[in-house]
Amino acid sequence: MKICILDPGLEDNQGTISSNLGDLIIQEAIKKEIRKLFSNDQIISISTQSPLQAEQIDIIRECDYTFVGGTNLLSSYMNKYKQWNISIKKTFYIKNLILFGVGWWQYQNSPNLYTKLLLNLSLSHNHIHSVRDSYTLRKLKNLGFKNVVNTGCPTMWPLAEIQPSQYCCAKASNVLVMLTDYYKNIAADKKLLEILFACYEKVYFWPQGRKDEDYIKELNYPVSMLRHSLNAFNEFLLSEEEFDYVGTRLHGGIRCLTMKKRVLILAVDNRSHEISLDTNLSVYKRDDFESIVRWIYQPVEPQLNINTDNIHKWKSQFA
């Protein structure tokens, strides 16, 4: 068979990777699970960030399955919010798309007519869709999609195989921090860095987004900078460096969690908050400094809830 993934990890269809390396973490998880399902089949990736041209439409129409892979691609105003760069005109040529771990951007009012038409024309009404949180599930069910399950984000699926006792619980000597350049809060982020420098011997920083490094330089704290590269991040994770993770970047934190590190996510939007409600992921408000300090010094054993029944239900339709 021929399988297509509409991929947030590509900025265009010439192979340029996304400037937000969190999209690559999602991309890796999506492709890993698709490869398990279709181990001997051809898999083609097409960017969600770039408008579909005739060449990509022809590829999609030739494929047996086309998956829309991850991140917060849906919104109530798909004519304005273009994280998934698709138009109603293109839905006359592509049909039966299957959602895989997709989320809804921000807390919003009911979808407008354009969005209702676009999703009803493009998404499959026969296959089960996978979404990453209950908020997205409710949004789609209110649009009439009953064929949807909340599987959580595919980046978290491997956590189902880790027992609570396998995670690091005691405070580490060092800390890895990530901040979000497009959700700046200079006062709160400076206070966070002040706390981390007081509590840890060394503070590392990984710029998940392209402009995160500029932002940390603006805050003017002497962090130990990692390169803006997924390879650099992976090398750090595989090193013998002992560290906790504290930061506003969700998928960088989840990657640390898969390596059994202590992880605290600081919420800046609906994504981490909604995922925490479903999975019990450790998430605090970014300015709840009292709770942040308590978490640093108080051993906490993660008690994550990964909905393996829904994951199996979604995957089994392709068996």
Side-chain angles (χ1 to χ4, degrees):
M1 289 194 295
K2 186 180 284 188
I3 310 300
C4 181
I5 303 173
L6 300 186
D7 187 346
L10 295 173
E11 283 194 1
D12 56 40
N13 291 306
Q14 285 71 52
T16 307
I17 63 172
S18 175
S19 59
N20 180 356
L21 301 181
D23 291 336
L24 302 190
I25 295 172
I26 297 170
Q27 177 193 67
E28 284 185 0
I30 294 288
K31 287 187 174 180
K32 179 180 177 182
E33 297 300 333
I34 294 294
R35 179 54 68 194
K36 287 180 185 176
L37 292 171
F38 305 99
S39 56
N40 298 314
D41 299 309
Q42 182 182 6
I43 298 174
I44 303 164
S45 291
I46 292 174
S47 172
T48 57
Q49 300 190 37
S50 185
L52 295 172
Q53 304 299 327
E55 179 184 354
Q56 289 83 49
I57 290 173
D58 288 343
I59 291 171
I60 292 170
R61 289 170 67 116
E62 292 172 0
C63 286
D64 296 274
Y65 295 110
T66 297
F67 297 93
V68 185
T71 197
N72 52 323
L73 294 181
L74 305 180
S75 83
S76 294
Y77 312 101
M78 296 288 285
N79 53 321
K80 297 179 180 178
Y81 178 73
K82 292 292 184 178
Q83 184 129 337
W84 180 11
N85 205 328
I86 186 173
S87 67
I88 280 184
K89 182 179 178 181
K90 299 298 170 64
T91 65
F92 289 101
Y93 305 99
I94 57 173
K95 306 286 184 183
N96 297 317
L97 307 181
I98 304 168
L99 299 179
F100 183 8
V102 172
W104 204 275
W105 184 74
Q106 302 291 7
Y107 294 116
Q108 295 181 315
N109 295 326
S110 298
N112 62 13
L113 180 60
Y114 182 96
T115 299
K116 292 176 183 178
L117 288 172
L118 186 148
L119 296 180
N120 272 285
L121 287 168
S122 62
L123 299 184
S124 174
H125 292 271
N126 299 313
H127 297 95
I128 300 171
H129 297 285
S130 151
V131 295
R132 72 175 183 205
D133 55 57
S134 295
Y135 176 68
T136 306
L137 181 73
R138 291 192 298 272
K139 283 289 190 184
L140 285 170
K141 286 199 168 184
N142 288 339
L143 284 174
F145 288 94
K146 306 303 180 187
N147 53 326
V148 187
V149 293
N150 176 11
T151 61
C153 183
T155 59
M156 296 186 70
W157 290 10
L159 301 176
E161 301 173 8
I162 302 176
Q163 298 301 314
S165 59
Q166 294 179 277
Y167 290 102
C168 297
C169 290
K171 174 184 173 294
S173 302
N174 308 309
V175 66
L176 173 65
V177 63
M178 299 179 200
L179 299 175
T180 309
D181 70 279
Y182 56 85
Y183 280 122
K184 292 181 180 181
N185 185 327
I186 291 176
D189 291 339
K190 279 192 169 185
K191 178 64 177 177
L192 173 66
L193 289 166
E194 180 184 320
I195 289 170
L196 297 180
F197 272 92
C199 295
Y200 291 95
E201 295 175 13
K202 195 168 185 178
V203 178
Y204 292 92
F205 185 86
W206 184 56
Q208 180 179 296
R210 184 170 289 163
K211 296 182 180 180
D212 291 357
E213 184 172 349
D214 293 336
Y215 182 43
I216 194 69
K217 288 178 178 177
E218 180 183 345
L219 296 176
N220 195 28
Y221 276 79
V223 297
S224 297
M225 187 75 67
L226 304 180
R227 287 183 292 111
H228 175 69
S229 153
L230 190 56
N231 285 338
F233 183 37
N234 289 334
E235 287 170 6
F236 181 74
L237 289 173
L238 293 170
S239 72
E240 296 182 358
E241 197 71 30
E242 176 192 323
F243 69 91
D244 297 335
Y245 171 83
V246 179
T248 60
R249 288 292 191 176
L250 173 63
H251 290 99
I254 290 173
R255 175 59 67 88
C256 292
L257 202 56
T258 63
M259 299 300 291
K260 304 172 186 175
K261 301 295 184 180
R262 291 181 76 221
V263 168
L264 178 62
I265 309 292
L266 305 179
V268 293
D269 59 17
N270 67 317
R271 286 173 293 178
S272 55
H273 176 68
E274 289 297 327
I275 288 173
S276 73
L277 293 177
D278 294 331
T279 65
N280 204 33
L281 181 69
S282 293
V283 175
Y284 292 160
K285 293 180 180 178
R286 71 191 303 180
D287 58 355
D288 187 359
F289 303 117
E290 183 178 337
S291 295
I292 292 169
V293 172
R294 185 167 59 248
W295 179 89
I296 290 171
Y297 287 104
Q298 179 178 311
V300 179
E301 187 177 90
Q303 299 290 335
L304 294 169
N305 175 31
I306 309 299
N307 196 324
T308 53
D309 289 341
N310 280 350
I311 293 170
H312 176 73
K313 183 176 182 179
W314 183 79
K315 293 169 74 171
S316 64
Q317 68 184 318
F318 308 109

